[in-house]
C-alpha cells in the first residue's frame, strides 16, 4: 500500500522522523515557477523568501534547469583528485571577474566560512605567528554559520548556548563602531571577518566608510579582511557584491554560498593574492566541493547575477518594496525602521509590536506571501532578483491586507 501523501500525513511523518531542530510550518510545497510556489493542495504563494536567498533567480529558471539536466546526463560526481570541465570553468570565471587569484569550492556557507578561518590562520602560521597571534575579530549581530568554529565566529550567544566549550581565538566587537574596532585590533589579529550587510542579525548594512576603516586597520596590522557575502552577494544588493557599494574595498577573502548555484548546494571561498597559496595539498578538502552538477548551475547563476539588467531590476524593485513599507507604516505605525540594500530588506517592528515578527510572517502566509524574520522583531524580505512588476504589485497588495489584519489584532 502506497504511503498517504496528504499534507497532514506528510507533516506528521516529518514531525515523527526529523530531528526537531527546525519548526517547519505545516505546508508541503510541490512545485514553483518564477516568483510563485504551490503547495500539494494547490494553494499559490508569492515567494519573497527564496529559500533564504538561495532561489534568487526564481523557481525552475529554464537556463538553470537546462544546465543541471545536461550535466547530470553526463557526470554526477568524481573526486577532487581529478578535474571536471564545469568546475574548472566556474573557477576561471570567478577569478576573471573578481579580485580573486584562487577559489576553493565547498557545499554551504558554513563550510565556506570554516575554510576562510583555516586559510587566515594557516597564512599566519606560515608567517611564523604563534597561536596567540591568530586572533579573528568578528562583530556583534553577525551570523557566519553553525559549525563549532563558525558559530563561535557568530557573535550572538543564542546560537552558542549549549555547545560549549567553544573554540578559542575569537574576539567580538560592536558593529559599525569605528573606535571600537580600532581599539580591538592589534598585531595579535590575523583577520577581521564581517558581513557588508548583516542578514540574520537584523538586515543591518555597514555604514558608509566603515568597511574602508576596517580595511585600513587590517593593512596596518598585517591582518586579512574577510567579507562574508553569503547572503548579500550574487547581486542581492544591486551589485554583484554588497561591498562594491563602498569605493576602494579590496578584500583578501570573500565567502559565497546560498544563491551561488541557483538552488543547489554550493559554497566558495575567493582568495586574493595575500593568502592565495595558504592551503597546500592535503591541508583542507571537501568530498563534494565543486560538484560538477552544482558547478554547471553556478556558471549560469553567476552569469545571471552579473547582468546589468538584473542588477538594475534589483535596485528598482528594492525601492518599490521600501516605498510600500514606508507608506503602510505612515498609516499603521508598525515599524521603527526600514533598511537594507537592494532586495535584502529588513523592517524592524516598533516598540508596540516588538518580538512579534513571527506573527506577522504567519499573517502574510495567510494571504499567500512567503516572508521571513531576522530575529524576533525584524521582518525580512528576500524576493527573487528577477521579480516582475506584476508580482511586486500583487505581493504588496497581499502584504497590505496581512499588515492591516495584524495591526487590527
Amino acid at each position: 500500500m502506497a504511503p498517504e501523501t496528504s499534507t497532514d500525513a506528510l507533516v506528521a511523518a516529518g514531525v515523527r522522523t526529523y530531528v526537531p531542530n527546525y519548526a517547519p510550518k505545516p505546508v508541503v510545497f510541490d512545485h514553483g515557477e518564477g516568483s510563485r510556489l504551490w503547495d500539494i493542495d494547490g494553494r499559490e504563494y508569492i515567494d519573497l523568501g527564496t529559500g533564504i536567498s538561495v532561489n534568487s533567480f526564481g523557481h525552475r529558471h529554464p537556463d538553470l534547469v537546462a544546465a543541471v539536466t545536461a550535466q547530470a546526463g553526463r557526470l554526477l560526481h568524481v573526486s577532487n583528485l581529478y578535474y571536471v570541465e564545469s568546475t574548472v570553468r566556474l573557477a576561471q570565471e570567478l577569478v576573471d571577474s573578481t579580485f580573486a587569484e584562487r577559489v576553493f569550492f565547498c557545499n554551504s556557507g558554513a563550510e565556506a566560512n570554516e575554510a576562510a578561518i583555516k586559510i587566515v590562520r594557516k597564512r599566519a602560521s606560515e608567517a611564523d605567528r604563534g597561536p596567540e597571534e591568530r586572533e579573528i575579530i568578528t562583530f556583534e549581530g553577525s551570523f557566519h554559520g553553525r559549525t563549532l568554529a563558525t558559530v563561535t565566529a557568530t557573535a550572538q550567544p543564542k546560537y552558542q548556548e549549549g555547545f560549549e566549550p567553544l573554540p578559542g581565538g575569537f574576539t567580538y566587537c560592536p558593529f559599525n563602531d569605528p573606535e571600537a574596532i580600532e581599539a580591538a585590533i592589534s598585531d595579535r589579529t590575523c583577520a577581521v571577518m564581517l558581513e557588508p550587510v548583516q542578514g540574520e542579525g537584523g538586515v543591518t548594512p555597514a555604514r558608509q566608510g566603515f568597511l574602508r576603516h576596517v580595511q585600513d586597520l587590517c593593512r596596518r596590522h598585517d591582518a586579512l579582511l574577510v567579507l562574508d557575502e553569503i547572503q548579500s552577494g550574487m547581486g542581492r544588493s544591486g551589485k554583484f557584491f554588497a561591498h562594491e557599494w563602498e569605493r576602494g574595498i579590496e578584500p583578501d577573502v570573500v565567502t559565497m554560498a546560498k544563491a551561488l548555484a541557483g538552488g543547489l548546494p554550493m559554497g566558495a571561498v575567493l582568495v586574493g593574492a595575500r593568502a592565495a597559496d595558504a592551503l597546500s595539498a592535503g591541508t583542507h578538502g571537501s568530498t563534494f566541493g565543486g560538484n560538477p552538477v552544482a558547478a554547471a548551475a553556478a556558471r549560469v547563476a553567476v552569469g545571471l547575477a552579473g547582468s546589468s539588467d538584473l542588477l538594475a531590476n534589483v535596485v528598482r524593485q528594492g525601492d518599490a518594496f521600501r516605498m510600500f513599507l514606508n507608506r503602510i507604516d505612515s498609516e499603521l505605525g508598525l515599524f521603527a525602521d526600514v533598511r537594507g540594500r537592494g532586495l535584502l530588506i529588513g523592517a524592524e517592528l516598533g516598540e508596540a509590536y516588538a518580538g512579534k515578527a513571527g506573527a506577522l510572517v504567519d499573517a502574510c502566509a495567510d494571504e499567500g506571501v512567503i516572508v521571513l524574520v531576522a530575529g524576533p522583531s525584524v521582518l525580512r524580505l528576500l524576493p527573487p532578483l528577477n521579480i516582475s512588476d506584476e508580482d511586486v504589485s500583487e505581493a504588496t497588495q497581499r502584504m497590505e491586507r496581512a499588515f492591516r489584519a495584524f495591526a487590527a489584532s
Side-chain angles (χ1 to χ4, degrees):
M1 182 176 178
E4 189 178 347
T5 57
S6 69
T7 295
D8 288 346
L10 289 169
V11 168
V15 170
R16 186 175 67 252
T17 57
Y18 285 8
V19 171
N21 58 311
Y22 299 117
K25 307 292 185 186
V27 176
V28 181
F29 285 121
D30 179 71
H31 65 281
E33 182 77 31
S35 301
R36 311 271 174 146
L37 279 168
W38 286 264
D39 64 23
I40 63 170
D41 298 314
R43 188 177 180 206
E44 179 207 76
Y45 300 79
I46 299 176
D47 184 5
L48 304 186
T50 57
I52 315 182
S53 198
V54 171
N55 303 105
S56 287
F57 312 103
H59 298 280
R60 211 160 61 178
H61 190 290
D63 294 347
L64 286 165
V65 172
V68 168
T69 302
Q71 182 59 54
R74 296 176 60 195
L75 190 65
L76 288 175
H77 174 77
V78 296
S79 84
N80 283 314
L81 299 176
Y82 302 91
Y83 291 104
V84 178
E85 183 177 2
S86 62
T87 311
V88 171
R89 296 296 182 209
L90 175 61
Q92 188 175 33
E93 288 157 9
L94 287 169
V95 166
D96 288 347
S97 63
T98 72
F99 72 97
E101 291 200 357
R102 295 186 184 272
V103 183
F104 170 77
F105 291 121
C106 51
N107 309 285
S108 68
E111 288 179 67
N113 282 336
E114 185 87 19
I117 289 166
K118 292 180 74 172
I119 286 169
V120 300
R121 287 190 169 163
K122 194 69 165 63
R123 185 250 186 186
S125 168
E126 295 297 322
D128 294 325
R129 296 170 66 170
E132 72 283 354
E133 298 175 297
R134 300 176 201 167
E135 169 197 62
I136 298 172
I137 296 176
T138 63
F139 291 88
E140 295 170 5
S142 63
F143 184 87
H144 297 295
R146 295 182 186 269
T147 65
L148 273 178
T150 58
V151 84
T152 307
T154 295
Q156 296 194 63
K158 67 180 180 181
Y159 294 113
Q160 301 171 347
E161 291 171 1
F163 300 111
E164 302 87 352
L166 301 173
F170 292 91
T171 296
Y172 306 140
C173 186
F175 190 54
N176 276 329
D177 187 331
E179 291 76 21
I181 181 62
E182 190 156 359
I185 196 169
S186 72
D187 291 343
R188 298 189 310 274
T189 308
C190 74
V192 178
M193 174 185 280
L194 74 160
E195 301 154 273
V197 182
Q198 290 191 337
E200 297 289 335
V203 191
T204 304
R207 294 195 190 107
Q208 195 67 23
F210 184 68
L211 292 181
R212 183 57 182 266
H213 182 65
V214 173
Q215 177 174 279
D216 290 346
L217 292 171
C218 285
R219 299 294 187 263
R220 189 185 309 169
H221 292 281
D222 192 28
L224 298 183
L225 176 63
V226 180
L227 298 183
D228 178 340
E229 292 263 17
I230 288 163
Q231 187 167 158
S232 61
M234 287 292 290
R236 174 62 57 184
S237 73
K239 293 186 182 290
F240 189 81
F241 288 129
H243 72 260
E244 294 175 47
W245 285 103
E246 185 166 333
R247 290 185 178 182
I249 303 305
E250 298 176 0
D252 297 297
V253 178
V254 167
T255 55
M256 304 175 69
K258 289 195 179 290
L260 177 57
L264 294 183
M266 186 171 224
V269 186
L270 308 186
V271 191
R274 299 175 73 204
D277 298 320
L279 294 181
S280 56
T283 55
H284 192 54
S286 170
T287 296
F288 293 103
N291 171 267
V293 180
R299 292 188 68 197
V300 173
V302 168
L304 291 170
S307 160
S308 58
D309 288 344
L310 180 121
L311 295 175
N313 191 67
V314 170
V315 173
R316 186 168 60 85
Q317 306 294 22
D319 288 344
F321 277 111
R322 276 183 285 275
M323 285 177 62
F324 159 72
L325 291 167
N326 285 315
R327 176 182 64 78
I328 200 71
D329 179 60
S330 68
E331 182 179 344
L332 300 179
L334 290 174
F335 305 120
D337 190 24
V338 176
R339 56 182 180 256
R341 287 198 185 279
L343 286 173
L344 174 49
I345 302 167
E348 184 174 0
L349 292 169
E351 185 176 350
Y353 302 102
K356 297 181 179 178
L360 190 50
V361 168
D362 291 341
C364 289
D366 289 341
E367 293 292 340
V369 183
I370 303 298
V371 295
L372 305 167
V373 299
S377 295
V378 178
L379 186 75
R380 177 170 38 159
L381 307 184
L382 296 167
L385 306 186
N386 54 357
I387 191 169
S388 68
D389 294 347
E390 179 185 356
D391 285 345
V392 170
S393 177
E394 186 166 349
T396 53
Q397 290 174 39
R398 295 184 187 187
M399 290 169 70
E400 181 164 349
R401 293 196 296 270
F403 290 174
R404 291 188 185 280
F406 173 78
S409 67

